[in-house]
């Protein structure tokens, strides 16, 4: 029975290590824990809109917490058949066999986080190898988790930069009465195409970014996508200079690729309409027509 527990622990460890690999090193794939947890937390928080911005951070913390808890249980089950005979206390005596499960989990937890109080130490070759492996896994998990979080927030910043940058352009159009395409400059359009492409890449490498919603519609890419579509359409109109039309075409292609990723990974509308996908994206983030109207008024845009 106890050997069966050890085998179960090994299966749990292998499964969690695979999940960590899928989440951190193969984010473009599917089936990772965050692919299931992120949407469920997001939908739950949508029932209480003020809490929606918490969905993304909570998903990250919950995923990492699940990894840690599962590894603690997995290695604890591995240690269980050898406890207490294969362990020693700080005084060199065999520990009590009372609360064997709790003691195995305790030793597993302090080993995983490399705390090592020394009140329990492995004594047999098997437990020494297992505890060394667990310490390496724990150190690697901590490093990988911190690194992924550090890289996550620049991706969020780039998404917010695209939203705010587009807001400023829409506001400038309203203030000057001139359209972006009328400026004859391809620099702005090319920059927008690059930023949209970067946003798509960020969603590929950090899929959980999608669930980092905001209560401020002006800071959400979903609010401004229809304006980006308009920029691209106006820039490609006949009579525009070729360099403007090419830049408008690049922005249009970037928006199409962005819509395809949104639909394939998150929305699943199976629609061929880019505008419908962007509309569903906005509604999924609780940004409907009212939010669009507030954004238009705040930016001085009164165009239909």
């Amino acid at each position: 029975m106890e050997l069966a527990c050890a085998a179960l622990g090994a299966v749990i460890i292998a499964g969690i290590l695979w999940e960590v690999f899928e989440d951190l090193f193969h984010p473009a794939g599917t089936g990772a824990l965050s692919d299931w947890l992120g949407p469920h937390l997001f939908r739950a928080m949508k029932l209480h809109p003020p809490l929606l911005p918490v969905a993304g951070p909570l998903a990250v913390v919950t995923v990492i917490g699940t990894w840690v808890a599962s590894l603690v249980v997995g290695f604890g089950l591995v240690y269980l058949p050898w406890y207490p005979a294969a362990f020693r206390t700080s005084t060199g005596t065999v520990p009590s066999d009372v609360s064997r499960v709790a003691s195995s989990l305790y030793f597993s937890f302090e080993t995983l986080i490399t705390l090592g109080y020394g009140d329990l130490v492995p004594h047999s070759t098997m437990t020494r190898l297992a505890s060394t492996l667990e310490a390496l896994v724990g150190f690697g998990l901590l490093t990988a988790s911190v690194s992924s979080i550090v890289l996550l927030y620049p991706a969020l910043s780039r998404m917010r930069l695209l939203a705010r940058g587009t807001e400023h352009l829409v506001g400038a159009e309203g203030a000057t009465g001139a359209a972006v395409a009328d400026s004859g400059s391809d620099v702005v359009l090319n920059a927008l195409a690059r930023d949209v492409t970067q946003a798509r890449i960020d969603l590929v490498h950090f899929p959980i970014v999608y669930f980092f919603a905001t209560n401020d519609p002006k800071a959400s890419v979903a609010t401004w996508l229809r304006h980006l579509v308009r920029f691209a359409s106006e820039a490609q109109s006949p009579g525009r200079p070729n360099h403007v039309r090419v830049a408008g075409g690049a922005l249009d292609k970037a928006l199409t690729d962005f819509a395809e990723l949104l639909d394939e990974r998150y929305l699943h509308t199976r629609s061929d309409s880019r505008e419908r996908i962007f509309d569903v994206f906005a509604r999924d983030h609780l940004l409907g027509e009212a939010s669009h109207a507030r954004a238009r008024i705040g930016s001085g845009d009164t165009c239909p």
Side-chain angles (χ1 to χ4, degrees), residues 50 65 68 135 170 179 196 225-226 232 255 295 297:
V68 172
V170 173
V196 172
L225 283 170
R226 66 188 187 87
L255 288 167
I297 294 172

Side-chain angles (χ1 to χ4, degrees), residues 24-278:
L24 297 182
F25 304 110
H26 189 220
T30 57
L33 179 60
S34 59
D35 286 332
W36 179 87
L37 191 59
H40 281 76
L41 282 175
F42 194 72
R43 283 195 291 269
M45 294 302 176
K46 283 170 68 176
L47 299 176
H48 307 281
L51 297 178
L52 189 59
V54 179
L58 182 61
V60 172
V61 172
T62 304
V63 167
I64 294 175
T66 301
W67 291 343
V68 172
S70 298
L71 287 172
V72 167
V73 171
F75 277 100
L77 290 173
V78 170
Y79 298 133
L80 185 58
W82 286 275
Y83 188 90
F87 291 84
R88 293 294 183 270
T89 66
S90 57
T91 60
T93 60
V94 177
S96 169
D97 61 354
V98 178
S99 302
R100 295 177 60 227
V101 173
S103 297
S104 297
L105 292 175
Y106 165 73
F107 178 77
S108 176
F109 184 64
E110 71 168 358
T111 301
L112 184 71
I113 62 175
T114 64
L115 188 59
Y117 282 124
D119 51 345
L120 282 178
V121 294
H123 186 65
S124 70
T125 301
M126 175 63 191
T127 53
R128 286 172 177 170
L129 288 174
S131 59
T132 300
L133 175 62
E134 184 177 14
L136 287 173
V137 169
F139 181 77
L141 179 62
L142 173 63
T143 304
S145 298
V146 171
S147 298
S148 66
I149 292 173
V150 168
L151 293 173
L152 182 65
Y153 282 92
L156 287 168
S157 296
R158 289 189 288 268
M159 299 283 278
R160 303 290 187 256
L161 177 63
L162 173 59
R164 289 296 188 178
T166 307
E167 176 205 356
H168 295 160
L169 288 173
V170 173
E173 284 185 324
T176 63
V180 169
D182 291 335
S183 67
S185 173
D186 60 331
V187 175
V188 172
L189 295 168
N190 282 324
L192 289 172
R194 178 202 61 209
D195 291 345
V196 172
T197 301
Q198 181 64 66
R200 181 186 182 279
I201 292 172
D202 286 335
L203 283 177
V204 170
H205 289 287
F206 306 99
I208 207 164
V209 164
Y210 179 89
F211 305 110
F212 279 72
T214 173
N215 282 330
D216 182 4
K218 294 180 181 180
S220 174
V221 171
T223 300
W224 304 103
L225 283 170
R226 66 188 187 87
H227 289 287
L228 291 171
V229 171
R230 176 173 61 81
F231 292 162
S233 177
E234 292 175 352
Q236 295 177 88
S237 299
R240 302 285 186 197
N242 287 338
H243 61 281
V244 174
R245 295 179 64 193
V246 170
L251 176 57
D252 189 77
K253 181 64 168 65
L255 288 167
T256 297
D257 290 346
F258 189 63
E260 289 175 353
L261 177 66
L262 286 174
D263 198 45
E264 177 185 353
R265 184 103 199 198
Y266 306 101
L267 303 176
H268 311 294
T269 69
R270 298 183 180 179
S271 174
D272 294 329
S273 170
R274 182 175 62 185
E275 286 70 21
R276 168 166 165 70
I277 293 171
F278 288 158

